[in-house]
Amino acid sequence: MDKEIRTDRIFPLKDATFYPGRDFCDIVYFCPPVEGKKRIWLMTYAKGPVVFIDHNMFKPEKIKKGSFRWIDYGITDVKLAYPRGFGQIKVYGITPQQSFDSYLVITTQTSLELSGSIQDAECILFGISRQNAGYSSINPSTIEAGNPARFTLVYKAGEKGLPRESRIRFNFPRVFARPQTESIKKDGYIRIIYNDCRIYFDGIKVPSDESHRDGDIFYFLPDGLKPFGKIEVEYRTDTTFILPVVCDVMERRYWFSNMPVLSPAVSLDNKKIFVSVSENNGHHIRFIAGKPERLHLFFPGRIRQKDTVNLIGIITDKYRNLVEEKNWKMKINIQLEGNNSKEIKDVSNYLTHRYRFCVDFKGLPAGIYRAKAYDQDTGKLIAVSNPLEIMGKNDKRQEIFWGEIHGHTEMSDGTGKFEGLYTNARNVGCLDFAASADHACYFTDNQWEWMQDITNSFNKNREFCTLIGYEWAGNQGHRNIYTSSRRLKLFRGMYEPTGNLDAVYKEFEGIKNIVAGPHTGHTGDFWRFHNRQVERFLEIYSMWGHFDKLANKILNQGAILGFTGGGDCHSGNVFFSPEDRNGQGKTAHFTSYQIRYKCGITGAFLEDLDRENLIYCLRNRKTYATTGDRILVDFSISQIKMGEIGKVEDVLIKADIHGCDTIKKIEVIRNGKIIKKEYIDKMDVVFNYEDNDIEKGKYWYYLKITQKNKEVAYTSPVWLEI
């Protein structure tokens, strides 16, 4: 099949963003980077707006008056959104009220004259308007997350029907089963169960030409379809989304547009320019959380003595989604174990939300604590908390705080409200620090101002720390960039002038309040483009899996990097992502069929919980990573602490480890090779090992700690000269 990508695009400015004090609105532009001439139009009642597409300015050349006012900005042969199709549109001289009825059009059909309503313009460009492209409904439209589904889609043509030799396209997420027409008994079976016309299966494209997250199914209608004629499609899939989400966008404006499965689009001729039905006429699908099945208990990490310590309990379905039921019937008792044992009966008295409770423990002395939850009726153990360590007054060690800084929201290619990421991180994930890393290419300059304002509003010293950050994605892979300041200069990797890392890192060299780290899984040629001054940490684990082999490789090449446990969660969360406990590495998540693990977490050694200390910690490798469990780890070699560089005569390795489950194995990695394995069978371990089999030279070491439940911790390395 030839590529079927619309090169003509319509952007409703009601979806554009304004920011106080700025005299423009902006919207993200996507169009395949087609070379050649293009024409720009704007339907608006604003007098004479000036349009910028990236750095290219366009002024009105001609105004067509009438019931609808069209401004012609002329024909241009400049490259727009080059080289990857994404760009920024800014419109100056338009008010929020005027933007509501304004539409910007970019077309390669330069000889066409646009006029009339936006529906008239769609007919001129595509042969049919979205309003007349038909109607769709689907059953079921509400599905429990992770459940298999058998969908029945009813497509009904518009009042003009479809002409001869039309085509119809239905989408499907690649997370779902790949459609097939051969066997009704196999997953993915799709068939036409009712039709008012002759209809022929015309193939499947995976991935879609317009989206790598979707595939497309095509049918050919040789005789067309009469006005309001129907086609019914049945599609079965055993795999669906494992998170609550509403899919209600019918047009694939961007590759990540959140379309429901089997969204129809029609093409009237061999050009195969597909026009989607309008949102008013289309269907939507809602995935909801399942029944309450799991309890998660969260203590802080390592803290100094204080009057009150909170234990948070979160109730979820089997995929770690917050339950929607208002009532859960299980009676839960809490048993605190440690230097001061306590019992709390019936936590329903401590509810703060329908899915959350908070128990206060007062006056706890120094020591290690864990909380266990039991079913009050059966006595069955339900959950065990992470270890809490309370330090004595004379303890000089740093506190350990928990956080995660690589999450995506609806502001780029994820779902979930941007502010919801921080609310969830603080109240549900029970994190001490958090950051979004939405893709810079997928949001606008005005949106970035709002995003920074929101991030700043959540930052509270000693309570909850947030960092300003984003993900740069360009010619040398993906990098996440953060600052402790209230503003961060924005660079977009899909914008040609800043498509190379040199342009980004030259700006940030020598600035101590900025840090960057590669997005493992999309690292590119790391060593060739590495900048030691800016790039200071590596996600050794994320929702893409384990990257200790990559870490070993680049450390042996001379990199000096700390480790973090990352996410790349695309559901508006950090750390507390959806997960399939029995499908780690197998079960796909939402926007990417390649993301198949749960989110990790980072432990940070901080003098105090604030932005400056957190950036210092990330820059100076005072972090370690886990696959999600909050395992407490202190690691040093001959008194040289985790992340440090030093000279020693003897290599005396020491680690204090407090697990969330039984520690099964500790591995010592030296210069990329395992030099020691020790098998353990307890939750609290003091590990000592002297490396005698070594000559003078330079070495690096880190520990890999594995629990019985297969959760893993990676310490940041220690670099030694002997």
Side-chain angles (χ1 to χ4, degrees):
M1 289 185 182
D2 295 330
K3 284 207 168 186
E4 292 144 6
I5 304 178
R6 286 180 299 125
T7 54
D8 295 342
R9 298 280 169 156
I10 299 175
F11 297 92
L13 294 191
K14 66 181 177 64
D15 296 336
T17 301
F18 290 81
Y19 185 79
R22 289 189 164 182
D23 58 350
F24 63 87
C25 65
D26 52 15
I27 189 170
V28 172
Y29 162 50
F30 173 76
C31 184
V34 177
E35 296 190 14
K37 296 185 182 300
K38 293 161 281 286
R39 195 170 182 178
I40 299 169
W41 295 86
L42 178 62
M43 191 188 91
T44 184
Y45 292 105
K47 286 187 177 180
V50 175
V51 175
F52 278 81
I53 302 178
D54 291 328
H55 57 275
N56 302 293
M57 182 175 69
F58 301 93
K59 293 183 177 181
E61 292 190 2
K62 183 173 60 176
I63 297 176
K64 298 177 67 175
K65 296 182 179 179
S67 300
F68 299 91
R69 189 168 177 271
W70 283 91
I71 301 177
D72 182 2
Y73 289 82
I75 297 172
T76 179
D77 58 2
V78 301
K79 294 179 179 179
L80 300 180
Y82 190 81
R84 298 195 182 187
F86 278 89
Q88 302 285 316
I89 294 172
K90 294 180 180 178
V91 182
Y92 290 80
I94 192 170
T95 67
Q97 292 76 17
Q98 291 167 335
S99 72
F100 230 78
D101 297 308
S102 298
Y103 297 84
L104 185 77
V105 178
I106 302 172
T107 176
T108 57
Q109 301 180 75
T110 56
S111 62
L112 296 181
E113 295 286 328
L114 299 190
S115 61
S117 67
I118 193 62
Q119 288 79 23
D120 293 330
E122 288 172 338
C123 288
I124 294 170
L125 291 168
F126 310 128
I128 192 171
S129 70
R130 292 188 64 199
Q131 199 67 28
N132 282 324
Y135 306 82
S136 65
S137 60
I138 199 166
N139 184 50
S141 60
T142 300
I143 303 151
E144 186 175 306
N147 278 3
R150 185 187 298 270
F151 295 104
T152 300
L153 184 285
V154 178
Y155 169 77
K156 184 171 69 172
E159 62 181 12
K160 296 182 180 180
L162 300 177
R164 292 174 60 85
E165 298 189 345
S166 293
R167 286 173 171 81
I168 187 165
R169 181 190 75 191
F170 301 101
N171 79 303
F172 65 94
R174 293 176 73 184
V175 169
F176 291 14
R178 181 183 176 121
Q180 53 86 19
T181 60
E182 289 77 27
S183 174
I184 194 171
K185 296 181 180 180
K186 292 183 179 179
D187 194 17
Y189 185 65
I190 188 168
R191 62 176 177 170
I192 302 296
I193 58 175
Y194 177 85
N195 50 291
D196 280 335
C197 64
R198 287 195 299 157
I199 183 168
Y200 298 104
F201 176 69
D202 199 30
I204 295 174
K205 275 194 176 181
V206 183
S208 162
D209 289 333
E210 294 184 329
S211 171
H212 58 262
R213 77 163 251 190
D214 282 355
D216 289 328
I217 312 152
F218 299 92
Y219 290 92
F220 178 56
L221 284 58
D223 305 322
L225 182 61
K226 66 183 181 181
F228 304 114
K230 289 184 180 180
I231 297 171
E232 293 187 20
V233 182
E234 184 181 81
Y235 166 60
R236 178 173 63 83
T237 175
D238 289 342
T239 53
T240 57
F241 297 137
I242 64 170
L243 75 161
V245 62
V246 176
C247 305
D248 57 0
V249 177
M250 301 304 293
E251 182 188 26
R252 194 184 278 148
R253 186 185 301 172
Y254 310 112
W255 69 260
F256 49 83
S257 293
N258 192 13
M259 300 167 66
V261 65
L262 299 180
S263 297
V266 297
S267 170
L268 304 192
D269 55 32
N270 287 327
K271 292 180 181 178
K272 298 181 181 178
I273 299 174
F274 284 91
V275 179
S276 59
V277 304
S278 69
E279 276 69 26
N280 290 337
N281 294 343
H283 64 281
H284 72 271
I285 295 177
R286 179 172 177 248
F287 291 86
I288 61 172
K291 305 295 183 184
E293 289 191 24
R294 299 174 64 184
L295 173 64
H296 313 265
L297 298 177
F298 297 120
F299 264 135
R302 184 167 75 196
I303 61 174
R304 306 198 184 282
Q305 276 185 294
K306 56 182 183 178
D307 294 338
T308 303
V309 177
N310 294 329
L311 172 72
I312 305 297
I314 303 294
I315 298 136
T316 71
D317 69 2
K318 65 180 178 181
Y319 293 117
R320 205 160 67 166
N321 300 308
L322 299 180
V323 295
E324 296 190 2
E325 288 191 358
K326 294 183 179 179
N327 298 308
W328 39 275
K329 298 179 180 179
M330 186 181 295
K331 293 182 180 179
I332 299 171
N333 290 352
I334 299 293
Q335 181 68 49
L336 179 68
E337 297 182 353
N339 286 4
N340 191 343
S341 298
K342 293 185 179 182
E343 184 177 13
I344 303 295
K345 293 188 175 181
D346 193 1
V347 298
S348 60
N349 297 321
Y350 297 86
L351 285 174
T352 63
H353 301 74
R354 66 180 184 273
Y355 53 80
R356 182 182 188 271
F357 61 81
C358 176
V359 177
D360 298 334
F361 292 103
K362 299 183 182 297
L364 296 180
I368 301 294
Y369 295 88
R370 292 179 183 86
K372 294 182 177 179
Y374 295 90
D375 185 321
Q376 191 178 95
D377 294 327
T378 66
K380 180 182 177 181
L381 179 65
I382 303 169
V384 180
S385 76
N386 60 291
L388 159 70
E389 182 175 8
I390 299 178
M391 297 186 290
K393 293 181 179 179
N394 298 321
D395 196 325
K396 303 299 183 183
R397 294 176 299 164
Q398 292 176 312
E399 294 176 277
I400 297 177
F401 295 94
W402 293 108
E404 207 277 288
I405 57 174
H406 186 182
H408 297 276
T409 71
E410 66 179 7
M411 298 310 298
S412 60
D413 58 344
T415 185
K417 298 292 185 183
F418 184 77
E419 59 271 23
L421 179 141
Y422 294 110
T423 301
N424 291 337
R426 183 186 61 195
N427 297 341
V428 179
C430 305
L431 299 182
D432 302 304
F433 61 89
S436 160
D438 275 305
H439 288 270
C441 297
Y442 302 155
F443 56 78
T444 69
D445 290 352
N446 281 344
Q447 287 175 324
W448 180 231
E449 293 302 310
W450 287 112
M451 292 160 70
Q452 291 176 106
D453 289 344
I454 290 169
T455 301
N456 289 330
S457 74
F458 276 91
N459 186 61
K460 306 292 182 186
N461 288 349
R462 286 298 303 169
E463 295 180 15
F464 183 61
C465 178
T466 65
L467 296 178
I468 303 288
Y470 60 83
E471 184 169 328
W472 176 95
N475 296 329
Q476 292 97 33
H478 296 206
R479 300 295 192 275
N480 294 341
I481 304 168
Y482 307 93
T483 185
S484 57
S485 296
R486 294 179 62 83
R487 285 292 187 268
L488 177 60
K489 188 172 182 178
L490 196 60
F491 290 93
R492 295 185 172 95
M494 295 184 191
Y495 177 50
E496 191 172 18
T498 54
N500 292 323
L501 269 173
D502 286 351
V504 182
Y505 283 167
K506 281 181 181 178
E507 179 74 21
F508 294 143
E509 278 183 357
I511 302 177
K512 300 298 185 183
N513 65 2
I514 288 177
V515 67
H519 170 355
T520 43
H522 295 281
T523 305
D525 188 345
F526 171 84
W527 194 245
R528 182 180 172 192
F529 305 107
H530 177 52
N531 184 306
R532 291 175 180 268
Q533 293 189 47
V534 183
E535 213 161 64
R536 312 281 284 199
F537 68 85
L538 174 79
E539 280 181 342
I540 196 169
Y541 172 84
S542 73
M543 295 179 75
W544 293 82
H546 296 259
F547 291 92
D548 43 333
K549 289 183 179 179
L550 172 64
N552 294 342
K553 176 184 176 181
I554 62 180
L555 290 172
N556 276 335
Q557 290 174 323
I560 307 292
L561 295 167
F563 294 158
T564 62
D568 202 22
C569 180
H570 283 69
S571 62
N573 293 292
V574 283
F575 165 64
F576 208 71
S577 63
E579 64 159 351
D580 182 353
R581 284 184 293 181
N582 300 317
Q584 290 298 298
K586 299 177 182 178
T587 302
H589 284 249
F590 175 51
T591 55
S592 176
Y593 71 99
Q594 296 172 299
I595 294 178
R596 295 174 180 263
Y597 291 83
K598 68 173 182 176
C599 192
I601 196 170
T602 297
F605 295 88
L606 300 179
E607 291 291 344
D608 206 351
L609 182 61
D610 58 42
R611 286 178 165 179
E612 289 72 23
N613 274 291
L614 182 54
I615 289 292
Y616 177 86
C617 172
L618 289 165
R619 286 186 58 85
N620 290 278
R621 305 168 297 279
K622 303 295 185 183
T623 60
Y624 65 96
T626 91
T627 54
D629 270 13
R630 303 181 188 205
I631 305 166
L632 293 176
V633 184
D634 259 321
F635 164 56
S636 63
I637 302 179
S638 301
Q639 298 185 339
I640 297 174
K641 297 178 182 178
M642 191 187 310
E644 294 181 348
I645 304 169
K647 292 184 178 181
V648 297
E649 294 183 359
D650 300 308
V651 180
L652 304 175
I653 298 171
K654 181 179 180 181
D656 291 320
I657 306 166
H658 304 285
C660 300
D661 194 11
T662 301
I663 306 296
K664 296 300 292 183
K665 182 172 59 176
I666 299 172
E667 296 169 272
V668 180
I669 291 88
R670 182 188 72 199
N671 287 14
K673 295 182 179 180
I674 300 170
I675 62 165
K676 170 69 176 177
K677 286 184 184 179
E678 185 161 319
Y679 294 92
I680 315 290
D681 194 26
K682 52 186 178 179
M683 296 181 76
D684 301 292
V685 179
V686 176
F687 174 76
N688 291 285
Y689 172 67
E690 183 174 0
D691 185 8
N692 293 314
D693 184 20
I694 194 167
E695 299 177 352
K696 290 187 179 296
K698 293 183 178 181
Y699 302 89
W700 54 264
Y701 294 78
Y702 68 83
L703 300 185
K704 179 180 179 180
I705 301 154
T706 305
Q707 295 184 153
K708 182 180 179 181
N709 62 3
K710 299 182 180 180
E711 294 285 324
V712 176
Y714 297 96
T715 70
S716 279
V718 170
W719 288 263
L720 300 178
E721 183 176 346
I722 300 172

